[in-house]
Amino acid sequence: MIQLIAGSQGAGKTKTLIDMANALAKTTDGHTVYVDADESQIFRLDYSIRLIQTAEYPLTSASEFFGFVCGILSQDYDINTVFIDGLLKNAKIEASKMGELLDRVHEVAERYNIHFIISMSCSREEVPEKYQSCLI
């Protein structure tokens, strides 16, 4: 399953993601991963959540970012939820190109029963029609 949080910069998307991740950490039996560009949220996340910083890796495209996420999943079969803060920034793509990446993430989510909760700095209207129902 994919859930999306879209909004302008400063709209509270990161706070919402962190609150959701911390609430989940108290109830889940599986592992939770939080993907962000940097470590600025490290002290706001529950200690049981694995923070992965994309800035530490030479990612230059949406394809590389998708491979990076798949690599994370392949290393830990107990991951059941992945939070991605700032998909467009981390994948280095524009909002108009997000559909293809979301399709690939959705395929992985369905195949491996992974819950993705993703924030993006864009308007809700920019989210492709087929993913409008995923907006929270």
Side-chain angles (χ1 to χ4, degrees), residues 18-37:
I18 289 171
D19 290 346
M20 291 174 75
N22 287 338
L24 179 68
K26 295 175 183 171
T27 61
T28 188
D29 291 330
H31 296 168
T32 302
V33 172
Y34 192 96
V35 178
D36 198 357

PDB file of all heavy atoms in Angstrom, residues 18-37:
ATOM      1  N   ILE A  18       6.769  12.076  10.811  1.00  0.00           N
ATOM      2  CA  ILE A  18       7.449  11.684  12.050  1.00  0.00           C
ATOM      3  C   ILE A  18       6.438  11.212  13.091  1.00  0.00           C
ATOM      4  O   ILE A  18       6.653  10.190  13.754  1.00  0.00           O
ATOM      5  CB  ILE A  18       8.318  12.841  12.584  1.00  0.00           C
ATOM      6  CG1 ILE A  18       9.524  13.011  11.663  1.00  0.00           C
ATOM      7  CG2 ILE A  18       8.765  12.592  14.014  1.00  0.00           C
ATOM      8  CD1 ILE A  18      10.348  14.232  11.935  1.00  0.00           C
ATOM      9  N   ASP A  19       5.336  11.931  13.224  1.00  0.00           N
ATOM     10  CA  ASP A  19       4.297  11.516  14.167  1.00  0.00           C
ATOM     11  C   ASP A  19       3.756  10.132  13.807  1.00  0.00           C
ATOM     12  O   ASP A  19       3.557   9.289  14.691  1.00  0.00           O
ATOM     13  CB  ASP A  19       3.163  12.534  14.213  1.00  0.00           C
ATOM     14  CG  ASP A  19       3.559  13.844  14.871  1.00  0.00           C
ATOM     15  OD1 ASP A  19       4.625  13.900  15.532  1.00  0.00           O
ATOM     16  OD2 ASP A  19       2.795  14.826  14.728  1.00  0.00           O
ATOM     17  N   MET A  20       3.530   9.898  12.532  1.00  0.00           N
ATOM     18  CA  MET A  20       3.035   8.593  12.085  1.00  0.00           C
ATOM     19  C   MET A  20       4.060   7.497  12.352  1.00  0.00           C
ATOM     20  O   MET A  20       3.713   6.401  12.802  1.00  0.00           O
ATOM     21  CB  MET A  20       2.677   8.639  10.593  1.00  0.00           C
ATOM     22  CG  MET A  20       1.467   9.495  10.277  1.00  0.00           C
ATOM     23  SD  MET A  20       1.185   9.663   8.490  1.00  0.00           S
ATOM     24  CE  MET A  20       0.516   8.048   8.125  1.00  0.00           C
ATOM     25  N   ALA A  21       5.317   7.779  12.053  1.00  0.00           N
ATOM     26  CA  ALA A  21       6.382   6.786  12.257  1.00  0.00           C
ATOM     27  C   ALA A  21       6.530   6.446  13.740  1.00  0.00           C
ATOM     28  O   ALA A  21       6.628   5.270  14.111  1.00  0.00           O
ATOM     29  CB  ALA A  21       7.702   7.306  11.691  1.00  0.00           C
ATOM     30  N   ASN A  22       6.518   7.457  14.581  1.00  0.00           N
ATOM     31  CA  ASN A  22       6.669   7.224  16.019  1.00  0.00           C
ATOM     32  C   ASN A  22       5.479   6.460  16.588  1.00  0.00           C
ATOM     33  O   ASN A  22       5.664   5.588  17.446  1.00  0.00           O
ATOM     34  CB  ASN A  22       6.883   8.541  16.756  1.00  0.00           C
ATOM     35  CG  ASN A  22       8.258   9.117  16.527  1.00  0.00           C
ATOM     36  OD1 ASN A  22       9.200   8.408  16.178  1.00  0.00           O
ATOM     37  ND2 ASN A  22       8.394  10.413  16.703  1.00  0.00           N
ATOM     38  N   ALA A  23       4.281   6.752  16.127  1.00  0.00           N
ATOM     39  CA  ALA A  23       3.101   6.017  16.593  1.00  0.00           C
ATOM     40  C   ALA A  23       3.175   4.563  16.147  1.00  0.00           C
ATOM     41  O   ALA A  23       2.880   3.646  16.925  1.00  0.00           O
ATOM     42  CB  ALA A  23       1.827   6.673  16.058  1.00  0.00           C
ATOM     43  N   LEU A  24       3.621   4.342  14.931  1.00  0.00           N
ATOM     44  CA  LEU A  24       3.746   2.980  14.407  1.00  0.00           C
ATOM     45  C   LEU A  24       4.803   2.190  15.174  1.00  0.00           C
ATOM     46  O   LEU A  24       4.621   1.004  15.455  1.00  0.00           O
ATOM     47  CB  LEU A  24       4.097   3.010  12.923  1.00  0.00           C
ATOM     48  CG  LEU A  24       4.272   1.651  12.257  1.00  0.00           C
ATOM     49  CD1 LEU A  24       2.927   0.924  12.196  1.00  0.00           C
ATOM     50  CD2 LEU A  24       4.863   1.813  10.878  1.00  0.00           C
ATOM     51  N   ALA A  25       5.888   2.849  15.544  1.00  0.00           N
ATOM     52  CA  ALA A  25       6.982   2.169  16.252  1.00  0.00           C
ATOM     53  C   ALA A  25       6.510   1.545  17.562  1.00  0.00           C
ATOM     54  O   ALA A  25       7.086   0.548  18.011  1.00  0.00           O
ATOM     55  CB  ALA A  25       8.126   3.144  16.515  1.00  0.00           C
ATOM     56  N   LYS A  26       5.477   2.092  18.148  1.00  0.00           N
ATOM     57  CA  LYS A  26       4.960   1.580  19.415  1.00  0.00           C
ATOM     58  C   LYS A  26       4.080   0.348  19.248  1.00  0.00           C
ATOM     59  O   LYS A  26       3.833  -0.368  20.205  1.00  0.00           O
ATOM     60  CB  LYS A  26       4.162   2.668  20.127  1.00  0.00           C
ATOM     61  CG  LYS A  26       5.011   3.844  20.541  1.00  0.00           C
ATOM     62  CD  LYS A  26       4.176   4.945  21.142  1.00  0.00           C
ATOM     63  CE  LYS A  26       5.083   6.135  21.462  1.00  0.00           C
ATOM     64  NZ  LYS A  26       4.338   7.301  21.849  1.00  0.00           N
ATOM     65  N   THR A  27       3.617   0.102  18.026  1.00  0.00           N
ATOM     66  CA  THR A  27       2.637  -0.974  17.834  1.00  0.00           C
ATOM     67  C   THR A  27       3.051  -2.055  16.842  1.00  0.00           C
ATOM     68  O   THR A  27       2.445  -3.110  16.817  1.00  0.00           O
ATOM     69  CB  THR A  27       1.300  -0.386  17.351  1.00  0.00           C
ATOM     70  OG1 THR A  27       1.499   0.285  16.103  1.00  0.00           O
ATOM     71  CG2 THR A  27       0.733   0.590  18.366  1.00  0.00           C
ATOM     72  N   THR A  28       4.051  -1.807  16.022  1.00  0.00           N
ATOM     73  CA  THR A  28       4.396  -2.753  14.962  1.00  0.00           C
ATOM     74  C   THR A  28       5.303  -3.879  15.452  1.00  0.00           C
ATOM     75  O   THR A  28       6.110  -3.683  16.363  1.00  0.00           O
ATOM     76  CB  THR A  28       5.060  -2.031  13.770  1.00  0.00           C
ATOM     77  OG1 THR A  28       5.195  -2.969  12.692  1.00  0.00           O
ATOM     78  CG2 THR A  28       6.430  -1.488  14.125  1.00  0.00           C
ATOM     79  N   ASP A  29       5.158  -5.016  14.821  1.00  0.00           N
ATOM     80  CA  ASP A  29       6.065  -6.134  15.077  1.00  0.00           C
ATOM     81  C   ASP A  29       7.217  -6.145  14.075  1.00  0.00           C
ATOM     82  O   ASP A  29       8.230  -6.781  14.294  1.00  0.00           O
ATOM     83  CB  ASP A  29       5.315  -7.469  14.983  1.00  0.00           C
ATOM     84  CG  ASP A  29       4.329  -7.638  16.124  1.00  0.00           C
ATOM     85  OD1 ASP A  29       4.578  -7.099  17.214  1.00  0.00           O
ATOM     86  OD2 ASP A  29       3.313  -8.314  15.903  1.00  0.00           O
ATOM     87  N   GLY A  30       7.029  -5.453  12.964  1.00  0.00           N
ATOM     88  CA  GLY A  30       8.051  -5.426  11.926  1.00  0.00           C
ATOM     89  C   GLY A  30       8.993  -4.252  12.101  1.00  0.00           C
ATOM     90  O   GLY A  30       8.910  -3.487  13.066  1.00  0.00           O
ATOM     91  N   HIS A  31       9.892  -4.101  11.154  1.00  0.00           N
ATOM     92  CA  HIS A  31      10.867  -3.021  11.182  1.00  0.00           C
ATOM     93  C   HIS A  31      10.358  -1.838  10.379  1.00  0.00           C
ATOM     94  O   HIS A  31       9.690  -2.001   9.364  1.00  0.00           O
ATOM     95  CB  HIS A  31      12.208  -3.491  10.626  1.00  0.00           C
ATOM     96  CG  HIS A  31      12.830  -4.558  11.456  1.00  0.00           C
ATOM     97  ND1 HIS A  31      13.911  -5.289  11.033  1.00  0.00           N
ATOM     98  CD2 HIS A  31      12.541  -5.028  12.698  1.00  0.00           C
ATOM     99  CE1 HIS A  31      14.246  -6.158  11.962  1.00  0.00           C
ATOM    100  NE2 HIS A  31      13.419  -6.017  12.976  1.00  0.00           N
ATOM    101  N   THR A  32      10.721  -0.645  10.828  1.00  0.00           N
ATOM    102  CA  THR A  32      10.324   0.598  10.179  1.00  0.00           C
ATOM    103  C   THR A  32      11.571   1.342   9.739  1.00  0.00           C
ATOM    104  O   THR A  32      12.537   1.451  10.491  1.00  0.00           O
ATOM    105  CB  THR A  32       9.506   1.474  11.150  1.00  0.00           C
ATOM    106  OG1 THR A  32       8.368   0.732  11.588  1.00  0.00           O
ATOM    107  CG2 THR A  32       9.038   2.745  10.484  1.00  0.00           C
ATOM    108  N   VAL A  33      11.521   1.872   8.517  1.00  0.00           N
ATOM    109  CA  VAL A  33      12.636   2.622   7.946  1.00  0.00           C
ATOM    110  C   VAL A  33      12.132   4.019   7.592  1.00  0.00           C
ATOM    111  O   VAL A  33      11.015   4.177   7.092  1.00  0.00           O
ATOM    112  CB  VAL A  33      13.171   1.920   6.680  1.00  0.00           C
ATOM    113  CG1 VAL A  33      14.202   2.775   5.973  1.00  0.00           C
ATOM    114  CG2 VAL A  33      13.734   0.563   7.016  1.00  0.00           C
ATOM    115  N   TYR A  34      12.961   5.019   7.854  1.00  0.00           N
ATOM    116  CA  TYR A  34      12.648   6.409   7.519  1.00  0.00           C
ATOM    117  C   TYR A  34      13.757   6.913   6.610  1.00  0.00           C
ATOM    118  O   TYR A  34      14.917   6.992   7.020  1.00  0.00           O
ATOM    119  CB  TYR A  34      12.575   7.243   8.801  1.00  0.00           C
ATOM    120  CG  TYR A  34      11.986   8.623   8.630  1.00  0.00           C
ATOM    121  CD1 TYR A  34      10.645   8.863   8.901  1.00  0.00           C
ATOM    122  CD2 TYR A  34      12.771   9.689   8.213  1.00  0.00           C
ATOM    123  CE1 TYR A  34      10.095  10.130   8.770  1.00  0.00           C
ATOM    124  CE2 TYR A  34      12.231  10.963   8.075  1.00  0.00           C
ATOM    125  CZ  TYR A  34      10.897  11.177   8.356  1.00  0.00           C
ATOM    126  OH  TYR A  34      10.358  12.434   8.222  1.00  0.00           O
ATOM    127  N   VAL A  35      13.429   7.225   5.364  1.00  0.00           N
ATOM    128  CA  VAL A  35      14.400   7.692   4.378  1.00  0.00           C
ATOM    129  C   VAL A  35      14.266   9.205   4.266  1.00  0.00           C
ATOM    130  O   VAL A  35      13.175   9.729   4.009  1.00  0.00           O
ATOM    131  CB  VAL A  35      14.161   7.028   3.004  1.00  0.00           C
ATOM    132  CG1 VAL A  35      15.155   7.556   1.977  1.00  0.00           C
ATOM    133  CG2 VAL A  35      14.243   5.511   3.113  1.00  0.00           C
ATOM    134  N   ASP A  36      15.375   9.895   4.452  1.00  0.00           N
ATOM    135  CA  ASP A  36      15.389  11.355   4.397  1.00  0.00           C
ATOM    136  C   ASP A  36      16.705  11.795   3.774  1.00  0.00           C
ATOM    137  O   ASP A  36      17.671  11.023   3.728  1.00  0.00           O
ATOM    138  CB  ASP A  36      15.253  11.924   5.810  1.00  0.00           C
ATOM    139  CG  ASP A  36      14.818  13.385   5.836  1.00  0.00           C
ATOM    140  OD1 ASP A  36      14.669  13.997   4.765  1.00  0.00           O
ATOM    141  OD2 ASP A  36      14.626  13.913   6.939  1.00  0.00           O
ATOM    142  N   ALA A  37      16.754  13.031   3.333  1.00  0.00           N
ATOM    143  CA  ALA A  37      17.967  13.541   2.701  1.00  0.00           C
ATOM    144  C   ALA A  37      19.114  13.691   3.690  1.00  0.00           C
ATOM    145  O   ALA A  37      20.274  13.533   3.328  1.00  0.00           O
ATOM    146  CB  ALA A  37      17.685  14.879   2.029  1.00  0.00           C
TER     147      ALA A  37
END
